[in-house]
């Protein structure tokens, strides 16, 4: 999430995140894993993050009540 106009919080679209991560990974000598800890994520968010992190070799840890 970010504040493009300084006020409202906006979600960054997952396709933009995937593209940016791929661009950054291509600039590296070796692939860098990305890891994430999510606190009670929505199912669709967890699914998208797993997809992104799988490509980098990273781990997704989900904390739920």
């Amino acid at each position: 999430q970010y504040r493009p106009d300084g006020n409202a919080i906006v979600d960054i679209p997952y396709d933009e995140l995937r593209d940016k991560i791929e661009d950054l990974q291509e600039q590296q000598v070796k692939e860098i894993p990305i890891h994430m800890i999510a606190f009670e994520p929505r199912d669709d968010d967890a699914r998208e993050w797993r997809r992104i992190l799988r490509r980098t070799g990273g781990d997704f840890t989900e904390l739920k009540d």
Side-chain angles (χ1 to χ4, degrees), residues 1-59:
Q1 296 176 328
Y2 71 117
R3 296 176 188 259
D5 59 3
N7 296 317
I9 296 175
V10 177
D11 288 340
I12 300 170
Y14 284 109
D15 57 340
E16 287 184 31
L17 284 171
R18 282 191 297 274
D19 291 345
K20 188 60 175 174
I21 290 169
E22 286 176 18
D23 290 344
L24 291 170
Q25 292 284 15
E26 289 173 3
Q27 296 173 24
Q28 304 305 312
V29 175
K30 65 177 188 172
E31 198 167 85
I32 299 171
I34 298 173
H35 305 285
M36 178 169 183
I37 298 173
F39 299 91
E40 297 188 14
R42 294 180 303 212
D43 290 339
D44 57 332
D45 290 328
R47 186 173 33 259
E48 287 294 333
W49 276 109
R50 281 190 182 93
R51 183 182 300 162
I52 290 170
L53 300 177
R54 190 176 317 122
R55 292 180 182 175
T56 72
D59 295 318

